[in-house]
Amino acid sequence: MFKEILIDFLTITCCFLLGIISIKYLSVYGLTIFIFLPFLLGAVPSFYVTKIKYKRNVYYQAVINLSISLFLLLFLAMEGIICIIMALPILLLLVLLGALIGKSVAKKFKVNEKLLTVFFLTSSMVFLSFDSKNKASALISVTTEIDINSSVENVWTNVLEFDSILPPKEIIFKTGISYPTDAKIKGRGIGAIRYCNFTTGSFVEPITEWNAPYELKFAVERQPLPMNEMNPFWNIQPLHLKGYFLSKKGEFKLRSIGDNQTQLSGTTWYELNIAPAGYWKLWSDFIIHKIHLRVLNHIKERSELDLCD
């Protein structure tokens, strides 16, 4: 029993050390963190426990080891609840896959334990090296559209700036994720500065194209933190809140689709510096769509109300 606990302890400790190297020293949230380490957390104890013929459920133990690791991330102020919840599906999948493969290899192949340990250590260096050289992803665009019962000219006015939006009802915005509250603009035409205010600060948006009342394009000069992370033990600001999600530019397009009928679309271009990008893009696209809808629905409400007045 002591040997099995020791294997779990050493595996968790090694995974933490590799994670610290990746985050603290390489400043990378990549394949090492979200692919290799959870796989290792499931595979290593499963392999060695199966080898010594100790009868325990390796899948159950893999989930226990993952739970211990996630609790330590919270307790050591390295991560928050919301990001852990977002990462949990891929972490759980990889830790269970690791347990399956570790058990299968131990049963079907005669593998030297020392050789396997060297292989795992070498693999960890490969993953860390790959992450450190991996470049930022290309710009990703998200577009959301809405139809408004108001003229293009009236909608344009509410696009440029709008008053305070009512507190959100969406659950996603009650988790600490930043959401828009109002917008102001200083100046008119190219070079004007639009301030889209969020709960964590302001997006500073210099206007790059002004085609009233049909198109407004802007760059993002400065952006606030994407969220206030929740942690039951400490107030924290994990490293991934700074520089790993970068909004680069945006635009509003307005199109008349009938008498006092306008189609309004909002697009955001952003850069995602967390891997695997395909997985995290699902979350970021979902959140950006919700942010878009919060703004577009408010513009719709204000524009249609102005028409009634």
Side-chain angles (χ1 to χ4, degrees):
M1 183 67 175
F2 173 76
K3 186 179 289 187
E4 293 77 40
I5 294 174
L6 180 62
I7 291 169
D8 292 331
F9 173 77
L10 290 176
T11 303
I12 292 172
T13 302
C14 288
C15 286
F16 253 85
L17 290 175
L18 290 169
I20 289 171
I21 292 171
S22 180
I23 295 170
K24 297 288 187 182
Y25 296 100
L26 300 180
S27 299
V28 173
Y29 286 84
L31 299 181
T32 299
I33 296 295
F34 297 110
I35 300 293
F36 182 69
L37 294 185
F39 177 84
L40 207 64
L41 198 60
V44 173
S46 177
F47 173 81
Y48 283 105
V49 165
T50 304
K51 267 292 184 185
I52 62 178
K53 295 180 171 56
Y54 179 72
K55 293 182 179 180
R56 77 174 182 188
N57 188 316
V58 294
Y59 306 108
Y60 176 76
Q61 191 59 42
V63 174
I64 293 295
N65 288 345
L66 177 62
S67 301
I68 292 171
S69 300
L70 296 179
F71 174 80
L72 289 174
L73 286 174
L74 291 172
F75 187 72
L76 296 176
M78 295 177 66
E79 198 47 84
I81 291 175
I82 302 307
C83 287
I84 284 178
I85 290 173
M86 289 180 176
L88 192 57
I90 193 170
L91 297 179
L92 193 57
L93 175 64
L94 266 295
V95 79
L96 291 174
L97 180 63
L100 172 63
I101 292 177
K103 182 178 181 179
S104 300
V105 170
K107 281 186 171 182
K108 297 179 181 179
F109 301 98
K110 292 183 178 180
V111 180
N112 183 281
E113 287 89 341
K114 292 181 180 179
L115 184 63
L116 188 66
T117 302
V118 171
F119 171 76
F120 279 134
L121 290 174
T122 304
S123 299
S124 66
M125 295 302 108
V126 171
F127 269 85
L128 286 170
S129 299
F130 178 80
D131 277 343
S132 67
K133 300 297 182 183
N134 197 22
K135 293 183 179 180
S137 61
L139 285 184
I140 302 166
S141 66
V142 177
T143 299
T144 309
E145 292 182 347
I146 193 170
D147 292 341
I148 301 174
N149 296 317
S150 187
S151 67
V152 170
E153 292 78 11
N154 193 37
V155 175
W156 171 264
T157 301
N158 288 303
V159 164
L160 295 179
E161 56 184 355
F162 50 82
D163 56 3
S164 297
I165 309 177
L166 292 173
K169 296 179 181 179
E170 300 92 336
I171 294 175
I172 191 72
F173 293 134
K174 298 181 185 297
T175 63
I177 290 175
S178 182
Y179 57 85
T181 58
D182 62 282
K184 303 295 179 187
I185 192 167
K186 290 186 177 179
R188 286 292 187 271
I190 295 174
I193 305 294
R194 187 172 181 270
Y195 298 89
C196 192
N197 302 314
F198 277 59
T199 49
T200 55
S202 298
F203 279 84
V204 180
E205 302 167 345
I207 304 302
T208 58
E209 190 167 328
W210 181 290
N211 181 22
Y214 299 107
E215 189 174 40
L216 184 74
K217 291 185 178 182
F218 52 87
V220 176
E221 185 177 275
R222 189 170 69 246
Q223 69 178 66
L225 293 177
M227 67 184 302
N228 288 313
E229 185 58 279
M230 297 168 60
N231 185 297
F233 305 106
W234 322 101
N235 291 319
I236 63 167
Q237 282 193 2
L239 291 176
H240 63 75
L241 295 185
K242 299 178 180 179
Y244 292 87
F245 169 84
L246 295 172
S247 180
K248 291 295 187 178
K249 58 182 180 177
E251 74 171 11
F252 289 98
K253 282 189 174 182
L254 297 82
R255 184 169 67 92
S256 178
I257 56 174
D259 256 356
N260 285 325
Q261 292 281 317
T262 302
Q263 184 180 80
L264 172 64
S265 68
T267 302
T268 295
W269 284 267
Y270 70 95
E271 188 178 276
L272 190 61
N273 298 318
I274 302 180
Y279 175 79
W280 288 106
K281 181 180 178 296
L282 296 174
W283 280 108
S284 55
D285 282 3
F286 170 74
I287 292 168
I288 291 172
H289 272 303
K290 289 295 185 183
I291 289 172
H292 284 177
L293 283 172
R294 177 169 167 79
V295 170
L296 297 184
N297 281 326
H298 182 68
I299 292 173
K300 174 182 171 72
E301 181 182 321
R302 292 304 311 163
S303 300
E304 293 178 349
L305 187 63
D306 290 344
L307 189 66
C308 292
D309 293 343

